Amino acid sequence: MYQVVPGGAGGTITDVIPKQKRSKDTRPLVGAGVIGLVLVIAAVTAWCYYIASLRKAELLKTQLLDLNKDGYIIRNQGGSIVFRMDFRSGTLDLDSCSKEGELLSCGRTTDRQLNFFIETVRPKDTVQCYRVRWEELVPDIPVEHAMTYTFAHWYGGAVSAIQHWPISIHGQQPPKPFVTGDIYSNRNEFGGILESYWLSSNATAIKINNSVPFHLGWNDTEKTMSFQARYNDSPFKPNPGEAPCAELSYRVCVGLDVTSIHKYMVRRYFNKPNKVPAKVMFRHPIWSTWALHKTDIDQEKVLMYAANIRKYKFNCSHLEVDDRYTSRYGEFEFDQTKFPNASSMFQRLKSDGFLVSLWTHPFVNYDSENFHTCVERGLFVREPTGRLPAMVRWWNGVGAILDFTNPEARDWFSSQLRSLRSRYGVSSFKFDAGETNYLPWKFSTRTPIRDPSFFTRRYTEMAIPYNDRAELRSGYQSQNISCFFRPIDRDSVWGYELGLKSLIPTVLTISILGYQFILPDMIGGNAYLNRTDGNGVLPDRELYIRWLELSAFMPSMQFSIPPWAYDNEVVEIARKYTALHESIVAPRVLELAGEVLDTGDPIIRPLWWIATGDETAYKIDSQFLIGDDLMVAPVLEPGKQERDIYLPAGHWRSYKGERFDIKEPLHLTDYPVDLDEIAYFVWV
């Protein structure tokens, strides 16, 4: 008890009774109150963090995409994950991220500033796209994203020496320049026809922007493909005056099925041809001197070759005189020793009904009479300082390469071709090479180019005046050149490495990349020494026949090793299939070729084109479609006169007259196919 003596605020205490001590029983109550208060504060704090995390999680979502600090995933409309990309060049600082409408952007990683965004775009009800850009602000820092490829089967990118369909990835490859290359001379490079576009069986597609200094790598342990942008240790260059700050930008699109998303991407991102080549190119075979005579060609052999074509009653769209009709590489006049009267030869061929095309290339060897002229006029690609021509080694020696970014070099080269046409009546040209691997690692051109493959594009443009019958073997953003594109030389072997089995995967890949007028190289291959199945001189007879049968169902046919080099039976089989090509295949191909101008859709199509949800169809690499209604299944194995055939659901009639009305896909096991047959089925 307290006793207080009056005195007010200023008074004095005259007597105080001592306070009693608190009871020990009240202390736990105070402690419990403090703990309770702490728990309340912690709960409120946790709730605030929870609400903030929900808001952050919502911030880092855009439609069906989820972003995190290390990458992002994309789901389809059904909620399944169809795409995953991991960031390998840094970890995003999520606190630097913001969202405005459909644009999600971030301003830094955990250790540096950058510009990063993902924008959601819905161009149509059935397609959702995501624009992605990661831009470094500090020079010489590469940007790398790693795409997981295990969610689906993938197609596209580039032709390769060992071609599979779908893409088959083996080993580990650090990112290397994604540029056109000669895969015959270097089988580990990317091929001469190439686009930075990939398509998957789960209806997802990715297109890398053309402005990116793009490098591609892969890792079969991690199951990833690496998409990298960089300027250091690279043939890519920034624009003049710009700092070498790398930017990786691309678009990922998701659709309902693989066929519809590819149709959307082709219409949106690819050039399209503006005309169809000469119809006779589709109907009648080309006859080339190359595989038969190689460089040992002369006037007498050309005339004899033409005479035999007529003797054995074959049609001919044109006769192609290949390497080496000039005395030196880089000259544009016939070697008078080998062709003593070229004008007379052309006149005779013309009177016999033959049009003639000539082989050409972008090189001028140092021993050519034109070399000094081109040096003086500055027509060559130069070394980095721009003072001297850059000397290069190619398969026919050492020389320099014409700079097709230079209008003067283009005019000079064009004038040489026009001179051949006006003097001899040359119908067209086979434009060989053009790949960027024949450029030096470091070089300079009259018009600076960021992407070395743009040189390929400039070279392919030289074919435009001759595109009715011209032939190219390299292409980059060149779909609108409107001429035939030929895969690199094939070896006379059965396998997937530049052999017979590589033809269908290669043609399907080129088709997916937007090149539809395809010349599948010479029947039987090129009969190169030590790369030929057979007697070492001619390709194996059975291989030749099976190659011939397959070629009859391609957009165009090309002979060099002639059927009469074997026996009468082979001649008869060749007549049968050139006639079949003209009567059945060419009319359908020409109809589809006209549609290509508007749609860009493939002429030669994979089976999944009409069976979009069929897992088996995604993996078939030995059958193909012409349009939607002609399915072809060649024999591609030695010693076989039967094969397994996969028929998608539908109404089919075989070449033997059999009718298949099936609601589910059908496996035909050990279907008989004689040596002089190829299995094909028509939609009824």
Side-chain angles (χ1 to χ4, degrees):
M1 295 291 293
Y2 298 104
Q3 182 177 352
V4 181
V5 177
T12 57
I13 298 175
T14 58
D15 189 18
V16 179
I17 299 175
K19 296 180 181 179
Q20 295 181 353
K21 293 183 178 180
R22 291 180 184 272
S23 169
K24 292 182 180 180
D25 294 335
T26 66
R27 292 181 180 179
L29 295 175
V30 174
V34 172
I35 292 172
L37 179 61
V38 170
L39 290 174
V40 169
I41 293 172
V44 171
T45 302
W47 177 255
C48 291
Y49 274 112
Y50 175 67
I51 295 298
S53 66
L54 287 179
R55 289 174 178 170
K56 178 63 70 175
E58 186 63 29
L59 168 69
L60 300 179
K61 290 178 180 288
T62 170
Q63 296 290 333
L64 299 171
L65 180 146
D66 295 347
L67 174 69
N68 61 59
K69 61 185 177 63
D70 298 315
Y72 62 90
I73 60 172
I74 297 174
R75 293 180 170 85
N76 61 16
Q77 295 290 341
S80 300
I81 296 175
V82 293
F83 189 84
R84 173 179 171 177
M85 190 75 87
D86 295 324
F87 303 144
R88 295 290 174 83
S89 46
T91 302
L92 287 179
D93 178 357
L94 298 184
D95 290 331
S96 73
C97 300
S98 61
K99 185 178 180 183
E100 183 175 347
E102 299 296 341
L103 183 68
L104 198 163
S105 59
C106 304
R108 61 177 293 111
T109 65
T110 54
D111 63 357
R112 64 186 183 276
Q113 300 285 327
L114 87 160
N115 289 329
F116 172 83
F117 75 74
I118 298 179
E119 181 182 19
T120 303
V121 181
R122 195 172 181 87
K124 53 190 299 188
D125 290 342
T126 57
V127 176
Q128 184 132 310
C129 295
Y130 305 89
R131 293 178 56 223
V132 182
R133 185 178 76 183
W134 179 304
E135 180 186 4
E136 291 290 347
L137 304 179
V138 178
D140 295 326
I141 296 179
V143 182
E144 184 175 333
H145 293 179
M147 181 190 78
T148 301
Y149 60 75
T150 54
F151 294 108
H153 306 289
W154 286 87
Y155 316 91
V159 295
S160 59
I162 302 175
Q163 195 83 52
H164 290 284
W165 179 274
I167 294 170
S168 179
I169 292 177
H170 300 284
Q172 292 82 43
Q173 172 62 55
K176 62 181 181 179
F178 192 69
V179 295
T180 59
D182 178 351
I183 52 174
Y184 198 88
S185 61
N186 188 340
R187 304 201 173 193
N188 294 318
E189 296 297 322
F190 302 114
I193 299 175
L194 163 152
E195 303 290 336
S196 53
Y197 167 73
W198 288 267
L199 172 73
S200 82
S201 58
N202 63 11
T204 305
I206 181 168
K207 176 69 177 72
I208 310 297
N209 288 353
N210 295 332
S211 61
V212 172
F214 183 52
H215 298 66
L216 178 68
W218 53 85
N219 188 311
D220 68 348
T221 301
E222 298 178 353
K223 309 299 181 186
T224 57
M225 293 172 61
S226 298
F227 301 148
Q228 186 190 75
R230 75 169 192 259
Y231 289 112
N232 58 315
D233 188 29
S234 170
F236 289 88
K237 294 177 284 191
N239 287 326
E242 290 184 359
C245 295
E247 174 192 310
L248 180 60
S249 54
Y250 53 89
R251 183 171 295 211
V252 180
C253 293
V254 182
L256 295 180
D257 60 68
V258 60
T259 302
S260 63
I261 192 63
H262 177 67
K263 287 184 174 184
Y264 168 77
M265 297 297 284
V266 167
R267 286 155 177 73
R268 177 67 179 82
Y269 294 109
F270 285 176
N271 294 322
K272 295 173 188 63
N274 51 42
K275 60 176 289 191
V276 176
K279 291 181 179 180
V280 70
M281 288 275 288
F282 296 90
R283 292 175 175 147
H284 297 162
I286 301 164
W287 295 79
S288 169
T289 63
W290 173 248
L292 180 62
H293 295 297
K294 306 296 190 295
T295 59
D296 187 23
I297 187 66
D298 59 37
Q299 183 170 324
E300 182 181 351
K301 289 175 181 174
V302 171
L303 292 172
M304 180 60 70
Y305 194 45
N308 280 327
I309 294 170
R310 287 289 177 254
K311 174 183 175 182
Y312 289 97
K313 297 180 174 56
F314 286 99
N315 288 321
C316 175
S317 67
H318 63 264
L319 180 62
E320 192 173 80
V321 178
D322 213 294
D323 182 16
R324 162 181 186 179
Y325 58 90
T326 61
S327 58
R328 294 181 177 85
Y329 295 105
E331 296 176 3
F332 294 84
E333 187 49 79
F334 280 85
D335 182 341
Q336 291 189 355
T337 301
K338 301 173 75 174
F339 294 85
N341 196 337
S343 296
S344 173
M345 180 187 75
F346 274 88
Q347 290 171 2
R348 181 172 170 184
L349 290 170
K350 182 179 180 181
S351 67
D352 289 340
F354 287 95
L355 295 176
V356 181
S357 68
L358 296 178
W359 176 75
T360 191
H361 55 84
F363 307 101
V364 179
N365 279 11
Y366 70 91
D367 60 351
S368 165
E369 292 182 0
N370 286 323
F371 185 82
H372 183 67
T373 300
C374 293
V375 170
E376 284 190 330
R377 296 179 58 180
L379 305 185
F380 290 137
V381 172
R382 295 175 172 252
E383 44 78 40
T385 68
R387 292 192 297 266
L388 297 172
M391 301 300 289
V392 299
R393 181 176 294 279
W394 62 298
W395 68 89
N396 277 328
V398 175
I401 188 167
L402 290 165
D403 178 3
F404 293 103
T405 75
N406 180 350
E408 293 181 31
R410 294 164 68 89
D411 289 345
W412 181 84
F413 185 72
S414 294
S415 70
Q416 305 302 317
L417 302 186
R418 286 195 303 270
S419 176
L420 285 167
R421 169 176 270 187
S422 62
R423 183 170 182 181
Y424 299 108
V426 173
S427 66
S428 191
F429 295 91
K430 172 185 177 178
F431 292 83
D432 215 350
E435 300 91 350
T436 60
N437 68 292
Y438 289 111
L439 295 170
W441 182 253
K442 297 292 183 181
F443 62 91
S444 63
T445 50
R446 174 67 65 87
T447 302
I449 54 177
R450 298 179 58 178
D451 181 347
S453 292
F454 192 68
F455 179 87
T456 298
R457 163 68 198 190
R458 281 286 179 251
Y459 177 59
T460 61
E461 291 170 357
M462 305 309 297
I464 291 175
Y466 310 97
N467 56 13
D468 260 4
R469 297 171 183 271
E471 171 189 331
L472 285 160
R473 84 170 197 190
S474 57
Y476 176 67
Q477 301 175 32
S478 304
Q479 297 92 340
N480 61 345
I481 300 301
S482 307
C483 71
F484 274 88
F485 286 82
R486 172 182 66 87
I488 197 72
D489 300 13
R490 303 289 111 174
D491 287 329
S492 299
V493 297
W494 289 90
Y496 283 102
E497 183 173 348
L498 297 179
L500 178 60
K501 285 185 181 178
S502 73
L503 270 185
I504 296 174
T506 299
V507 170
L508 290 174
T509 298
I510 294 172
S511 296
I512 288 297
L513 299 180
Y515 299 86
Q516 309 309 341
F517 308 139
I518 301 171
L519 179 64
D521 203 36
M522 300 167 196
I523 292 167
N526 285 263
Y528 291 129
L529 187 65
N530 300 324
R531 290 178 175 174
T532 298
D533 289 344
N535 60 16
V537 178
L538 291 176
D540 174 75
R541 181 179 184 273
E542 181 188 7
L543 173 68
Y544 184 89
I545 292 170
R546 293 304 191 190
W547 207 306
L548 164 63
E549 293 163 352
L550 171 55
S551 293
F553 286 85
M554 290 291 163
S556 187
M557 299 179 71
Q558 185 177 40
F559 285 100
S560 184
I561 303 292
W564 56 86
Y566 293 91
D567 52 50
N568 288 335
E569 183 184 11
V570 175
V571 171
E572 288 303 319
I573 293 172
R575 286 180 184 145
K576 170 184 174 180
Y577 282 100
T578 53
L580 182 147
H581 177 85
E582 183 176 359
S583 62
I584 295 178
V585 178
R588 184 68 181 111
V589 168
L590 280 166
E591 181 183 354
L592 294 165
E595 298 174 6
V596 166
L597 308 186
D598 296 322
T599 67
D601 289 346
I603 294 173
I604 304 298
R605 301 173 180 177
L607 258 61
W608 51 249
W609 193 265
I610 61 170
T612 55
D614 190 333
E615 177 65 25
T616 300
Y618 295 144
K619 298 179 287 186
I620 290 179
D621 67 351
S622 63
Q623 299 175 219
F624 61 92
L625 296 163
I626 301 174
D628 290 346
D629 50 14
L630 177 56
M631 195 271 288
V632 186
V635 173
L636 304 175
E637 298 280 353
K640 296 287 187 180
Q641 296 199 25
E642 68 281 323
R643 65 155 292 164
D644 294 344
I645 295 175
Y646 188 75
L647 272 182
H651 307 281
W652 299 97
R653 185 178 66 246
S654 79
Y655 69 105
K656 299 177 181 181
E658 304 153 310
R659 182 75 179 252
F660 299 90
D661 296 302
I662 48 177
K663 295 181 179 180
E664 298 291 336
L666 177 66
H667 286 272
L668 300 176
T669 305
D670 292 332
Y671 187 82
V673 186
D674 290 342
L675 180 60
D676 65 342
E677 294 180 331
I678 181 171
Y680 63 93
F681 299 77
V682 178
W683 183 274
V684 181

Short mmCIF file of all heavy atoms in Angstrom, two decimals, residues 62-101:
data_model
loop_
_atom_site.label_atom_id
_atom_site.label_comp_id
_atom_site.label_asym_id
_atom_site.label_seq_id
_atom_site.Cartn_x
_atom_site.Cartn_y
_atom_site.Cartn_z
N THR A 62 3.78 -13.39 -67.69
CA THR A 62 3.14 -12.69 -68.79
C THR A 62 2.47 -13.74 -69.66
O THR A 62 3.14 -14.57 -70.27
CB THR A 62 4.14 -11.84 -69.60
OG1 THR A 62 3.51 -11.38 -70.77
CG2 THR A 62 5.39 -12.61 -69.94
N GLN A 63 1.14 -13.74 -69.63
CA GLN A 63 0.35 -14.76 -70.32
C GLN A 63 0.78 -16.15 -69.84
O GLN A 63 0.66 -16.45 -68.67
CB GLN A 63 0.49 -14.60 -71.83
CG GLN A 63 -0.06 -13.29 -72.37
CD GLN A 63 -1.57 -13.20 -72.32
OE1 GLN A 63 -2.26 -14.21 -72.36
NE2 GLN A 63 -2.11 -11.99 -72.23
N LEU A 64 1.37 -16.97 -70.73
CA LEU A 64 1.74 -18.34 -70.37
C LEU A 64 3.24 -18.49 -70.14
O LEU A 64 3.76 -19.60 -70.17
CB LEU A 64 1.27 -19.30 -71.47
CG LEU A 64 -0.24 -19.31 -71.70
CD1 LEU A 64 -0.59 -20.12 -72.95
CD2 LEU A 64 -0.96 -19.86 -70.48
N LEU A 65 3.92 -17.38 -69.87
CA LEU A 65 5.37 -17.40 -69.63
C LEU A 65 5.65 -17.04 -68.18
O LEU A 65 5.07 -16.09 -67.64
CB LEU A 65 6.06 -16.41 -70.57
CG LEU A 65 7.58 -16.30 -70.47
CD1 LEU A 65 8.18 -16.03 -71.85
CD2 LEU A 65 8.02 -15.18 -69.51
N ASP A 66 6.55 -17.80 -67.55
CA ASP A 66 7.00 -17.52 -66.19
C ASP A 66 8.49 -17.21 -66.22
O ASP A 66 9.30 -18.03 -66.67
CB ASP A 66 6.78 -18.73 -65.27
CG ASP A 66 5.30 -19.07 -65.09
OD1 ASP A 66 4.47 -18.23 -65.46
OD2 ASP A 66 5.00 -20.16 -64.58
N LEU A 67 8.85 -16.02 -65.72
CA LEU A 67 10.25 -15.59 -65.68
C LEU A 67 10.79 -15.76 -64.27
O LEU A 67 10.11 -15.48 -63.28
CB LEU A 67 10.35 -14.11 -66.09
CG LEU A 67 11.73 -13.45 -65.98
CD1 LEU A 67 12.69 -14.02 -67.01
CD2 LEU A 67 11.61 -11.93 -66.13
N ASN A 68 12.03 -16.25 -64.17
CA ASN A 68 12.74 -16.23 -62.90
C ASN A 68 14.13 -15.67 -63.14
O ASN A 68 14.48 -15.32 -64.26
CB ASN A 68 12.77 -17.62 -62.25
CG ASN A 68 13.49 -18.64 -63.11
OD1 ASN A 68 14.66 -18.48 -63.44
ND2 ASN A 68 12.78 -19.71 -63.50
N LYS A 69 14.94 -15.61 -62.10
CA LYS A 69 16.24 -14.97 -62.22
C LYS A 69 17.20 -15.72 -63.15
O LYS A 69 18.13 -15.13 -63.70
CB LYS A 69 16.89 -14.82 -60.83
CG LYS A 69 17.15 -16.12 -60.10
CD LYS A 69 17.67 -15.86 -58.69
CE LYS A 69 17.87 -17.15 -57.91
NZ LYS A 69 18.89 -18.02 -58.49
N ASP A 70 16.95 -17.00 -63.37
CA ASP A 70 17.87 -17.82 -64.16
C ASP A 70 17.33 -18.20 -65.53
O ASP A 70 18.01 -18.91 -66.28
CB ASP A 70 18.21 -19.11 -63.39
CG ASP A 70 18.92 -18.82 -62.08
OD1 ASP A 70 19.84 -17.99 -62.09
OD2 ASP A 70 18.53 -19.40 -61.05
N GLY A 71 16.11 -17.78 -65.88
CA GLY A 71 15.56 -18.15 -67.17
C GLY A 71 14.05 -18.03 -67.18
O GLY A 71 13.46 -17.32 -66.36
N TYR A 72 13.42 -18.75 -68.10
CA TYR A 72 11.97 -18.70 -68.17
C TYR A 72 11.44 -19.99 -68.80
O TYR A 72 12.18 -20.73 -69.46
CB TYR A 72 11.48 -17.48 -68.97
CG TYR A 72 11.92 -17.44 -70.41
CD1 TYR A 72 11.14 -18.02 -71.42
CD2 TYR A 72 13.11 -16.82 -70.79
CE1 TYR A 72 11.54 -17.99 -72.75
CE2 TYR A 72 13.52 -16.77 -72.11
CZ TYR A 72 12.73 -17.36 -73.08
OH TYR A 72 13.13 -17.33 -74.40
N ILE A 73 10.16 -20.24 -68.54
CA ILE A 73 9.47 -21.37 -69.16
C ILE A 73 8.22 -20.85 -69.86
O ILE A 73 7.68 -19.80 -69.48
CB ILE A 73 9.11 -22.47 -68.15
CG1 ILE A 73 8.17 -21.92 -67.07
CG2 ILE A 73 10.34 -23.12 -67.56
CD1 ILE A 73 7.60 -22.98 -66.15
N ILE A 74 7.78 -21.58 -70.88
CA ILE A 74 6.55 -21.24 -71.59
C ILE A 74 5.65 -22.46 -71.58
O ILE A 74 6.10 -23.58 -71.82
CB ILE A 74 6.84 -20.80 -73.03
CG1 ILE A 74 7.70 -19.53 -73.05
CG2 ILE A 74 5.54 -20.56 -73.81
CD1 ILE A 74 8.15 -19.12 -74.44
N ARG A 75 4.37 -22.22 -71.31
CA ARG A 75 3.38 -23.29 -71.35
C ARG A 75 2.47 -23.09 -72.56
O ARG A 75 2.30 -21.99 -73.06
CB ARG A 75 2.53 -23.28 -70.08
CG ARG A 75 3.31 -23.65 -68.82
CD ARG A 75 2.39 -23.63 -67.59
NE ARG A 75 3.03 -24.19 -66.43
CZ ARG A 75 3.82 -23.52 -65.60
NH1 ARG A 75 4.05 -22.24 -65.83
NH2 ARG A 75 4.37 -24.12 -64.56
N ASN A 76 1.87 -24.20 -73.00
CA ASN A 76 0.86 -24.08 -74.04
C ASN A 76 -0.50 -23.81 -73.41
O ASN A 76 -0.62 -23.70 -72.18
CB ASN A 76 0.85 -25.31 -74.94
CG ASN A 76 0.51 -26.59 -74.18
OD1 ASN A 76 0.00 -26.56 -73.05
ND2 ASN A 76 0.80 -27.73 -74.79
N GLN A 77 -1.55 -23.73 -74.24
CA GLN A 77 -2.87 -23.41 -73.73
C GLN A 77 -3.39 -24.48 -72.76
O GLN A 77 -4.22 -24.20 -71.90
CB GLN A 77 -3.85 -23.26 -74.90
CG GLN A 77 -3.56 -22.09 -75.82
CD GLN A 77 -3.81 -20.74 -75.18
OE1 GLN A 77 -4.52 -20.64 -74.18
NE2 GLN A 77 -3.21 -19.69 -75.73
N GLY A 78 -2.88 -25.70 -72.90
CA GLY A 78 -3.29 -26.77 -72.00
C GLY A 78 -2.54 -26.78 -70.68
O GLY A 78 -2.82 -27.62 -69.82
N GLY A 79 -1.57 -25.88 -70.52
CA GLY A 79 -0.82 -25.80 -69.27
C GLY A 79 0.46 -26.60 -69.24
O GLY A 79 1.20 -26.55 -68.25
N SER A 80 0.77 -27.33 -70.30
CA SER A 80 1.99 -28.13 -70.33
C SER A 80 3.19 -27.26 -70.70
O SER A 80 3.08 -26.36 -71.56
CB SER A 80 1.86 -29.27 -71.35
OG SER A 80 0.80 -30.12 -71.02
N ILE A 81 4.33 -27.53 -70.08
CA ILE A 81 5.55 -26.81 -70.41
C ILE A 81 6.04 -27.28 -71.78
O ILE A 81 6.25 -28.47 -72.01
CB ILE A 81 6.65 -27.04 -69.35
CG1 ILE A 81 6.21 -26.47 -68.00
CG2 ILE A 81 7.96 -26.40 -69.79
CD1 ILE A 81 7.18 -26.76 -66.87
N VAL A 82 6.22 -26.34 -72.71
CA VAL A 82 6.65 -26.68 -74.06
C VAL A 82 8.00 -26.06 -74.41
O VAL A 82 8.60 -26.41 -75.43
CB VAL A 82 5.61 -26.24 -75.11
CG1 VAL A 82 4.34 -27.04 -74.97
CG2 VAL A 82 5.34 -24.74 -75.03
N PHE A 83 8.51 -25.16 -73.55
CA PHE A 83 9.75 -24.47 -73.89
C PHE A 83 10.42 -24.00 -72.61
O PHE A 83 9.76 -23.47 -71.71
CB PHE A 83 9.45 -23.27 -74.79
CG PHE A 83 10.68 -22.61 -75.38
CD1 PHE A 83 11.26 -23.10 -76.53
CD2 PHE A 83 11.23 -21.48 -74.79
CE1 PHE A 83 12.37 -22.49 -77.09
CE2 PHE A 83 12.34 -20.86 -75.33
CZ PHE A 83 12.91 -21.37 -76.48
N ARG A 84 11.74 -24.20 -72.57
CA ARG A 84 12.51 -23.72 -71.41
C ARG A 84 13.81 -23.11 -71.91
O ARG A 84 14.52 -23.71 -72.72
CB ARG A 84 12.81 -24.86 -70.45
CG ARG A 84 13.77 -24.46 -69.32
CD ARG A 84 14.03 -25.60 -68.36
NE ARG A 84 15.10 -25.26 -67.43
CZ ARG A 84 15.51 -26.04 -66.44
NH1 ARG A 84 14.93 -27.22 -66.26
NH2 ARG A 84 16.49 -25.67 -65.64
N MET A 85 14.12 -21.92 -71.41
CA MET A 85 15.37 -21.24 -71.74
C MET A 85 16.05 -20.81 -70.45
O MET A 85 15.43 -20.17 -69.60
CB MET A 85 15.09 -20.03 -72.63
CG MET A 85 16.34 -19.40 -73.23
SD MET A 85 17.04 -20.38 -74.59
CE MET A 85 16.12 -19.74 -75.99
N ASP A 86 17.33 -21.17 -70.31
CA ASP A 86 18.13 -20.77 -69.15
C ASP A 86 19.11 -19.68 -69.55
O ASP A 86 19.67 -19.71 -70.65
CB ASP A 86 18.90 -21.97 -68.58
CG ASP A 86 17.97 -23.04 -68.03
OD1 ASP A 86 16.93 -22.68 -67.46
OD2 ASP A 86 18.29 -24.23 -68.16
N PHE A 87 19.32 -18.73 -68.63
CA PHE A 87 20.28 -17.65 -68.86
C PHE A 87 21.66 -18.11 -68.42
O PHE A 87 21.85 -18.49 -67.26
CB PHE A 87 19.89 -16.39 -68.10
CG PHE A 87 18.51 -15.88 -68.41
CD1 PHE A 87 17.72 -15.31 -67.43
CD2 PHE A 87 18.00 -15.98 -69.70
CE1 PHE A 87 16.44 -14.84 -67.71
CE2 PHE A 87 16.73 -15.51 -70.00
CZ PHE A 87 15.94 -14.94 -69.00
N ARG A 88 22.63 -18.10 -69.32
CA ARG A 88 24.00 -18.52 -68.99
C ARG A 88 24.95 -17.33 -68.86
O ARG A 88 26.10 -17.53 -68.47
CB ARG A 88 24.51 -19.46 -70.09
CG ARG A 88 23.75 -20.78 -70.17
CD ARG A 88 24.04 -21.65 -68.95
NE ARG A 88 23.23 -22.85 -68.92
CZ ARG A 88 23.51 -23.97 -69.57
NH1 ARG A 88 24.58 -24.02 -70.35
NH2 ARG A 88 22.73 -25.02 -69.46
N SER A 89 24.49 -16.14 -69.17
CA SER A 89 25.39 -14.99 -69.16
C SER A 89 25.15 -14.06 -67.98
O SER A 89 25.72 -12.97 -67.91
CB SER A 89 25.25 -14.20 -70.47
OG SER A 89 23.90 -14.00 -70.79
N GLY A 90 24.32 -14.48 -67.04
CA GLY A 90 24.08 -13.65 -65.87
C GLY A 90 22.79 -14.04 -65.19
O GLY A 90 21.95 -14.75 -65.74
N THR A 91 22.65 -13.56 -63.94
CA THR A 91 21.45 -13.80 -63.14
C THR A 91 20.70 -12.49 -63.00
O THR A 91 21.27 -11.48 -62.56
CB THR A 91 21.83 -14.33 -61.74
OG1 THR A 91 22.58 -15.54 -61.90
CG2 THR A 91 20.60 -14.59 -60.90
N LEU A 92 19.45 -12.49 -63.40
CA LEU A 92 18.67 -11.26 -63.32
C LEU A 92 18.46 -10.83 -61.87
O LEU A 92 18.22 -11.65 -60.98
CB LEU A 92 17.31 -11.44 -63.98
CG LEU A 92 17.25 -11.54 -65.51
CD1 LEU A 92 15.81 -11.74 -65.96
CD2 LEU A 92 17.84 -10.29 -66.16
N ASP A 93 18.55 -9.53 -61.64
CA ASP A 93 18.15 -8.94 -60.36
C ASP A 93 16.66 -8.64 -60.48
O ASP A 93 16.25 -7.68 -61.13
CB ASP A 93 18.95 -7.66 -60.11
CG ASP A 93 18.54 -6.96 -58.82
OD1 ASP A 93 17.61 -7.45 -58.15
OD2 ASP A 93 19.14 -5.92 -58.50
N LEU A 94 15.85 -9.48 -59.87
CA LEU A 94 14.40 -9.36 -60.06
C LEU A 94 13.84 -8.07 -59.48
O LEU A 94 12.76 -7.62 -59.89
CB LEU A 94 13.70 -10.57 -59.45
CG LEU A 94 14.07 -11.93 -60.07
CD1 LEU A 94 13.25 -13.05 -59.45
CD2 LEU A 94 13.87 -11.92 -61.58
N ASP A 95 14.56 -7.47 -58.53
CA ASP A 95 14.10 -6.19 -57.99
C ASP A 95 14.21 -5.06 -59.01
O ASP A 95 13.64 -3.99 -58.81
CB ASP A 95 14.89 -5.82 -56.73
CG ASP A 95 14.55 -6.73 -55.56
OD1 ASP A 95 13.40 -7.23 -55.53
OD2 ASP A 95 15.42 -6.96 -54.70
N SER A 96 14.96 -5.31 -60.10
CA SER A 96 15.09 -4.29 -61.14
C SER A 96 14.03 -4.44 -62.23
O SER A 96 14.05 -3.70 -63.21
CB SER A 96 16.48 -4.36 -61.78
OG SER A 96 16.60 -5.51 -62.62
N CYS A 97 13.13 -5.41 -62.05
CA CYS A 97 12.15 -5.72 -63.09
C CYS A 97 10.85 -4.95 -62.87
O CYS A 97 10.46 -4.67 -61.74
CB CYS A 97 11.85 -7.21 -63.11
SG CYS A 97 13.30 -8.24 -63.45
N SER A 98 10.20 -4.63 -63.97
CA SER A 98 8.91 -3.96 -63.91
C SER A 98 8.06 -4.47 -65.06
O SER A 98 8.56 -5.05 -66.02
CB SER A 98 9.08 -2.44 -63.99
OG SER A 98 9.68 -2.07 -65.22
N LYS A 99 6.77 -4.21 -64.96
CA LYS A 99 5.84 -4.68 -65.97
C LYS A 99 4.88 -3.57 -66.35
O LYS A 99 4.30 -2.91 -65.50
CB LYS A 99 5.07 -5.90 -65.46
CG LYS A 99 4.15 -6.54 -66.50
CD LYS A 99 3.47 -7.77 -65.90
CE LYS A 99 2.54 -8.42 -66.92
NZ LYS A 99 1.82 -9.57 -66.32
N GLU A 100 4.75 -3.36 -67.65
CA GLU A 100 3.83 -2.37 -68.17
C GLU A 100 3.05 -3.01 -69.31
O GLU A 100 3.62 -3.27 -70.38
CB GLU A 100 4.57 -1.13 -68.65
CG GLU A 100 3.64 -0.03 -69.15
CD GLU A 100 4.40 1.24 -69.52
OE1 GLU A 100 5.60 1.34 -69.17
OE2 GLU A 100 3.79 2.10 -70.17
N GLY A 101 1.80 -3.30 -69.08
CA GLY A 101 1.01 -4.00 -70.08
C GLY A 101 1.58 -5.40 -70.32
O GLY A 101 1.74 -6.18 -69.39
#
